[in-house]
Amino acid sequence: MLALVKRGESYINMKKILIANRGEIAMRVMRTAREMGINTVAVFSEADRNMPFVRYADEAVCIGPAPSSQSYLRADKLIAVAKETGADAIHPGYGFLSENASFSKAVTDAGLIFIGPSAHSIEVMGSKIGAKQAAKKFNVPMVPGTEEPVKDVAEARKIAQQIGYPILVKASAGGGGKGMRVVNSDDEFEEQIRAAKSEALNSFSNDDVFIEKYVGSPKHIEIQLMGDQHGNYVYLFERECSVQRRHQKLVEEAPSSCLTPDIRKAMGECAIAAARSCNYYGAGTVEFLVDENLNFYFLEMNTRLQVEHCVTEMITGIDLVKEQINVARGQKLSFSQDDLKIHGHAIELRVCAEDPLNNFLPDTGRLEMYQPPKGPGVRVDDGYEEGMDIPIFYDPMIAKLIAHGSTREEAIDRLRRAIDEYYVKGIKTTLQFGKWAVNVEAFRTGNYDTKFIEKYFRPEFLSESNDDADEVAALLSSIVWEKNGTAKTSVSTAGNGNRSFSKWKLNR
Ligand code: MV4
């Protein structure tokens, strides 16, 4: 119950925090706050009045109508409520205002603590070009490309010719895959740059774009790190998030099945270098692309606590929210790199109110029945209860199912067992998709990359849900890919240069 903490000569008091978020992440943050003896203030929209996070909080204040633009995105209201309730700090969770530099600044200017990085760090990393320029100074490896916004198209075209096609055009203000375009040949270069610029201007009110060599079938591996306000940093190893669809992650695991201890260490140190480049403090994640030869390249930095932080918590035993709070009130990190060790393996499945049989379209409605799984090695972070309506206004993720085991195999077996125990009626979910995914040969052997779903998934594989059907579906999945070879290329980033098989190996 140490709410009063010594920082040098002065004391920073944190008795009460406001959580500027909803659902499972609001619950997640409040649980840790309660363990630390810190009171909580929930804010909620009119649609969320009956949510568990509203009841869990010590105090709760309605901040407006259902649409986020009139509630969870209203910085002015959030700060006013924090002041009125006497909160000392605001935790933004993920999404909403969590990566908004002006919000971080406004919170601080109001005399409150923002539980997250400084406005400066958010601003630097929010610009993909700015992030690359900052990280480059610290020798973080980058995909070959431009480090300035494309100004002269003819000049950029020459650079593209030198790099070699296919190349990727990215919006500097984009991120998370928004505003990316593949250019396959020289003759479409100018046209694609123009299209990318106008798209970027429309979506982000900023038309800066840059180009990179297109890496065909990469893995997406990210490093979790923590920094304090005294210049200390640690990395908390990696998460592999290659099972994603339309840049929406569905399965995440830690550690990655393909990294060696040496590469893990090299990536961790590069992630810290990227964080140092913007004087980062708090929890952050550096995303890398990893190719088949285990070359890794800096992509971008996420300046928030991420959805998938739980797998890192399971393998390190560290409560990341607790560390965020301690760092925000000025404490030094309580552990060093040498104190950290990987314990076993964890896999997370995002349980979304989506229909995998119908293009993963959101399927909102009433959660008629809901019973989450329990037992050894199972963690469920959820935000709804049986009988509730899932509102259409927000993200369709209703829960995260995390399984931990002493080995990857045990974690997979536990996840499958937990999916079988998970009882949901009234809405379609990604649960059976998850059971299919971890059973596919390519996933089991670690030989998978960001094209996993595109390569192997067919909705037919989910239509029957007895165990025999699961085995058959998993088997069929590899056969379909062998037969079709490179045939199916539906997503925007699918270009040429794809090999028919990747050769990722399991490393332990
Ligand atoms: C790439 C790439 C290939 N080559 N950059 C997508 C999200 C954004 N953070 C960057 N992304 C990519 N950047 C180069 N030079 C492929 C992707 C990419 C991807 C990255 C991570 C996870 C899933 C992905 C799915 C499609 C494309």
Side-chain angles (χ1 to χ4, degrees), residues 132 142-146 159-170 177 179-185 188-189 192 210-219 244 247 289-292 295 297-299 449-452 454-455 481 486 488-499:
K132 284 186 79 170
M142 309 278 169
V143 186
T146 54
I159 298 172
Q161 286 162 359
Q162 282 159 21
I163 297 171
Y165 290 91
I167 69 140
L168 204 50
V169 187
K170 297 183 176 184
M180 296 195 331
R181 278 168 170 265
V182 182
V183 188
N184 284 307
S185 65
E188 55 181 86
F189 184 80
Q192 294 282 39
F210 60 104
I211 62 175
E212 276 182 1
K213 171 119 194 102
Y214 176 62
V215 182
S217 249
K219 275 180 179 278
Q244 53 75 48
H247 305 294
L289 284 182
V290 179
D291 73 16
E292 285 178 354
N295 297 308
Y297 308 98
F298 174 87
L299 266 187
D449 55 42
T450 48
K451 294 233 163 29
F452 177 76
E454 183 190 328
K455 277 181 184 171
W481 176 245
T486 54
K488 192 163 183 298
T489 48
S490 58
V491 300
S492 58
T493 46
N496 49 23
N498 302 331
R499 286 148 294 249

Side-chain angles (χ1 to χ4, degrees), residues 17-19 30 40-44 53-54 57-62 81:
I17 67 176
L18 180 144
I19 296 87
M30 289 192 290
T40 53
V41 182
V43 290
F44 61 96
F53 79 91
V54 176
D58 296 307
E59 294 166 69
V61 180
C62 182
V81 171

Side-chain angles (χ1 to χ4, degrees), residues 248-287:
Q248 191 63 48
K249 294 165 186 165
L250 283 161
V251 178
E252 301 106 345
E253 64 175 317
S256 165
S257 58
C258 75
L259 294 193
T260 62
D262 286 352
I263 294 171
R264 175 170 296 121
K265 182 164 188 275
M267 288 178 76
E269 285 168 0
C270 280
I272 287 176
R276 262 189 217 288
S277 78
C278 66
N279 298 316
Y280 198 87
Y281 57 80
T285 299
V286 177
E287 294 186 8

Side-chain angles (χ1 to χ4, degrees), residues 75 78-79 90-92 96-123 280-281 303:
L78 296 165
I79 291 168
I90 297 184
H91 193 301
F96 296 129
L97 293 169
S98 60
E99 295 184 276
N100 186 307
S102 327
F103 184 58
S104 172
K105 183 169 187 304
V107 170
T108 310
D109 288 350
L112 302 163
I113 296 173
F114 181 73
I115 304 177
S118 68
H120 170 74
S121 298
I122 299 176
E123 212 159 291
Y280 198 87
Y281 57 80
T303 57

Side-chain angles (χ1 to χ4, degrees), residues 141-257:
M142 309 278 169
V143 186
T146 54
E147 270 118 55
E148 298 285 337
V150 171
K151 290 272 179 309
D152 180 337
V153 183
E155 193 186 312
R157 185 169 170 178
K158 285 204 190 94
I159 298 172
Q161 286 162 359
Q162 282 159 21
I163 297 171
Y165 290 91
I167 69 140
L168 204 50
V169 187
K170 297 183 176 184
S172 182
K178 277 171 275 167
M180 296 195 331
R181 278 168 170 265
V182 182
V183 188
N184 284 307
S185 65
D186 192 52
D187 47 290
E188 55 181 86
F189 184 80
E190 297 201 2
E191 175 195 328
Q192 294 282 39
I193 291 278
R194 268 178 247 293
K197 281 176 90 72
S198 104
E199 213 172 87
L201 189 64
N202 271 324
S203 312
F204 316 114
S205 313
N206 174 322
D207 75 347
D208 285 351
V209 300
F210 60 104
I211 62 175
E212 276 182 1
K213 171 119 194 102
Y214 176 62
V215 182
S217 249
K219 275 180 179 278
H220 171 124
I221 299 180
E222 57 190 30
I223 301 286
Q224 175 70 54
L225 62 85
M226 286 285 325
D228 64 22
Q229 298 188 51
H230 309 271
N232 304 303
Y233 290 94
V234 294
Y235 61 87
L236 295 100
F237 313 109
E238 78 279 9
R239 295 183 287 260
E240 163 142 19
C241 313
S242 298
V243 180
Q244 53 75 48
R245 197 179 169 281
R246 291 198 224 108
H247 305 294
Q248 191 63 48
K249 294 165 186 165
L250 283 161
V251 178
E252 301 106 345
E253 64 175 317
S256 165
S257 58

